[in-house]
Amino acid sequence: MARITMREAISQALWEEMERDPGVFIMGEEVGVWGGTYAVTKGFYDHFGGERVRDTPIAEAAIVGGAIGAAMTGLRPVAELMTINFAFSAMDHIVNEAAKLHYMFGGQFVLPMVIRAVGGGGRQLGATHSQTPDAVFAHFPGLIVLAPGTPEDAKGLLKAAIRSNDPVLFIEHATLYQVRGEVPDGDYEIPIGKSKIQRSGKDVTIVTYSKMLEISTKAADQLAREGIEVEIVDLRSLRPLDMGPVVESFKKTNRAVIVEEGWRSYGVGAEVAARIYEQAFDYVDAPIQRVAQKEVPLPYNRALEQMALPQVEDVIKAVKEVL
C-alpha cells in the first residue's frame, strides 16, 4: 500500500492502462504539452507522444464527438473535459450518441470510452463553473456515471472504466485532487456499480459519495464523540446504482441521512430516498433526511459559496433530527 493523492492515483491509472493497451489514448484541452489543467497528465506527452496524448481545440462537442468515433472504430479514448460544466456544450453527443448508439444499432457497436470531467464547487470559480449536475447525467440509460471519493476508488474505478465496453462519465471533484489515501500496490480494478460501506455504525445510515464522503466522515467523527455511531455507505457509482448495501444498512439502523453536493430538488438524494422507502418501508423509524446544496446558483464570494455548500454542521444537524 502507498499513501498518495487522488491526483496521483488517477494519473497512475491512466499511465498503467496506456502501457497495458496501445488502443488507449487521451484527448482534451491542454492534456499534452501542458500536462492537463490539474496536472493529471503531466509527463504523458513526453513518454507516449502526440499520437496518444492529443491536445484538442477548446470545443467540447468536438472532443466528445471525436471520442465516440474513435471508440466505434475500436480504440479506447479517454476524453478529458476541463470541467463538467462544459459537458453541456457536448450534451447531444453524450446523451443521444454515446448513451444510445449501442442500443440503436442492435449491439453491433460498442463504445469503450471514458469522459473524465471535473465537478463540484468550493474553489470560487463562479456559478457557471462550479455545478454538480451528476443527477442529470445519471438520468440517462446507457451511460455509466462514476464519482469516487477516495484515491483507492479513483484508481480502481478508472481502470475498470477504461477496460469497460460501455461509455463512462468519470466525475472527479475539484477539491479532492490533494486528498491522500491508501492505494493498493500493483494492478487492481474496483467493480463498476458497487456501493461500499466506508464506516460501520449502528445508529444511523449516511448515504453519500464523492466530496460529501469527506464531509460525512468528519461529521461522523464528531458524532462519535457524543456516542452516536454512524454507518456511511459510499455509492461511488450513480448509474448503475447499487442499493444493496444501503438497504441492508438501513434495516440495521432504521434511520437515514443522504448527503449530496448537488441541489436537493430532483437529485441523487431524492432517488435514493425513494428507493429506501420502496424497498425497506417496514424498517422506517423516522423520515429520511436529505442534506444538499442551497437552491441558488453557487456564489463566487467565498463566504457565500461555503454557506451554499453542504457543511459538516448540516450533516450533524440532520443526523440528530432523525435520531
Side-chain angles (χ1 to χ4, degrees):
M1 300 284 281
R3 189 169 181 80
I4 61 175
T5 65
M6 184 174 283
R7 174 187 285 110
E8 291 169 323
I10 293 169
S11 184
Q12 284 183 11
L14 291 168
W15 189 286
E16 291 171 12
E17 289 307 296
M18 290 182 73
E19 291 280 19
R20 184 187 64 83
D21 183 350
V24 177
F25 75 99
I26 295 171
M27 59 189 297
E29 301 163 17
E30 300 181 340
V31 297
V33 177
W34 185 255
T37 308
Y38 294 88
V40 171
T41 54
K42 191 174 181 62
F44 279 58
Y45 184 85
D46 292 337
H47 182 76
F48 293 104
E51 285 292 308
R52 298 186 64 197
V53 187
R54 305 182 71 93
D55 282 323
T56 68
I58 304 174
E60 285 72 27
I63 296 168
V64 176
I68 290 169
M72 290 177 72
T73 54
L75 297 174
R76 291 186 176 269
V78 179
E80 178 181 313
L81 302 184
M82 196 176 290
T83 157
I84 198 169
N85 302 273
F86 298 165
F88 299 145
S89 295
M91 204 67 173
D92 186 49
H93 288 305
I94 295 170
V95 170
N96 280 331
E97 294 170 5
K100 295 183 175 67
L101 284 176
H102 177 72
Y103 170 83
M104 293 183 70
F105 282 91
Q108 294 178 84
F109 288 107
V110 293
L111 281 90
M113 58 179 286
V114 178
I115 303 170
R116 290 181 49 236
V118 180
R123 297 184 68 249
Q124 285 188 271
L125 295 177
T128 61
H129 288 60
S130 304
Q131 298 173 101
T132 308
D134 309 348
V136 173
F137 295 96
H139 179 70
F140 297 102
L143 182 68
I144 292 172
V145 179
L146 305 178
T150 68
E152 177 183 358
D153 287 347
K155 182 174 181 179
L157 284 171
L158 184 52
K159 280 176 162 283
I162 293 170
R163 297 177 189 183
S164 170
N165 283 330
D166 295 311
V168 179
L169 177 63
F170 192 87
I171 305 171
E172 303 164 12
H173 198 284
T175 67
L176 289 181
Y177 282 120
Q178 296 297 334
V179 170
R180 292 185 176 273
E182 298 293 333
V183 174
D185 298 323
D187 183 43
Y188 72 98
E189 286 182 71
I190 290 176
I192 290 171
K194 295 292 182 182
S195 300
K196 179 182 179 181
I197 295 177
Q198 296 281 15
R199 182 189 184 110
S200 295
K202 62 178 179 59
D203 295 321
V204 60
T205 299
I206 289 180
V207 185
T208 189
Y209 71 97
S210 188
K211 169 71 174 183
M212 292 298 107
L213 173 63
E214 179 182 74
I215 297 295
S216 299
T217 300
K218 290 178 179 177
D221 289 340
Q222 290 191 33
L223 289 162
R225 292 194 283 271
E226 301 179 38
I228 299 171
E229 297 182 21
V230 171
E231 183 151 290
I232 299 178
V233 183
D234 181 4
L235 295 175
R236 303 192 294 188
S237 172
L238 302 183
R239 181 177 282 274
L241 180 62
D242 176 20
M243 287 296 296
V246 176
V247 171
E248 288 306 308
S249 177
F250 185 77
K251 287 180 178 180
K252 178 172 66 173
T253 66
N254 310 109
R255 294 168 172 84
V257 174
I258 305 160
V259 186
E260 62 182 319
E261 184 173 318
W263 291 298
R264 177 185 171 102
S265 298
Y266 313 104
V268 173
E271 178 66 28
V272 172
R275 295 201 192 192
I276 293 174
Y277 283 127
E278 290 168 355
Q279 298 176 33
F281 183 77
D282 290 343
Y283 295 86
V284 176
D285 282 354
I288 295 168
Q289 293 289 322
R290 288 183 283 153
V291 177
Q293 187 179 146
K294 302 296 190 297
E295 303 266 334
V296 296
L298 202 62
Y300 170 78
N301 176 277
R302 178 160 181 77
L304 293 176
E305 183 182 37
Q306 291 303 311
M307 286 175 65
L309 291 169
Q311 302 295 333
V312 171
E313 295 74 21
D314 300 320
V315 179
I316 291 172
K317 181 175 180 287
V319 167
K320 291 185 175 179
E321 284 183 8
V322 300
L323 291 171

